[in-house]
Amino acid sequence: MNWLIVYTGKNSSKNDELKQFFKKNKIKAKSFLYEKDSELSVNSLPATLKGATHCVVLDEKAPAKNASFAWGYLLGSGVALYALKSGFTAEAKKCGQLKDFDSFEKLFGYISKNIASIALEDKKKAAWAKLFKTGNPFTGDALAVHVKKDNRDIVQTYLDAGMSLDERDAEGTPMLNVAIRAEKVDEVKWMLEHDVDLNAVSKDRGYSALMDCVWKKNLELAKILVDKKASLDFVSADNQSALALAVGEGNADMVKLLSDAGANPDKFDALGMSPWTYAKLFKRQDLLSLMEKNHHGQ
């Protein structure tokens, strides 16, 4: 955010109070003092006016000709304005983002109370502009492309613009699953540091994120999710668990990881089979030994 305070001499103390508030909150803010309307002419309009994202106008009078141009320029540029009420502000509110207040105390109170949400909205607006400029549509499929490529900066821009890491692509695959299927270890670690559903289920395969790790035979990713307490006994539409998947693939390392974490070898699937009975069917004594400590069935 870049704040600009436009004020007249009699409002110097109010300008100082605002400047102190912005400084305390580590927010960029500049002031522009004007006493004559000519100081706001088209030719002499200060450069600071052009870089502002938010502007406070401390002048109780309706603006004269040149001052009106400055207001129009700011409103037309999408700058958020906060002003003291005058005969002009009621009409100006129809032209852009303008909030007017009966007194400086109310204006200052509003800004100080809402500065966090104002900053968040500004960040969101900047992110939208960046996505538009770089040709990135605001869709789950577009986000998935960058997740697969581990384009962290663009992924973060989508989050700043308001999209969630729990967004799905057109096939219903959550972003965490997208990253796992692309085997982007760093991206998965980063996602898990944020607010993401660890046990979201894809609509295409019906797999949880942990099951996708098993399907991809990626022990490193599976360990990361197990350490994060992903559900061990989630079952897919056919009642298969991650452990059943690992047994079916004969993946002893994966079976050990899941068994050591407490995965149930006696959970039956739609065919009436369990990880334990599959291992017996395949004559995999090594897998049975790994699951034995959690086995309580037949």
Side-chain angles (χ1 to χ4, degrees), residues 208-220:
S208 67
L210 180 58
M211 291 185 77
D212 270 335
C213 293
V214 177
W215 172 51
K216 296 298 292 187
K217 301 181 179 63
N218 194 310
L219 191 67
E220 182 181 5

Side-chain angles (χ1 to χ4, degrees), residues 90-107:
E91 287 299 315
K93 281 194 285 188
K94 300 176 182 179
C95 304
Q97 301 179 70
L98 169 64
K99 293 185 182 299
D100 57 353
F101 302 86
D102 293 323
S103 66
F104 172 75
E105 289 71 27
K106 289 183 178 180
L107 183 153

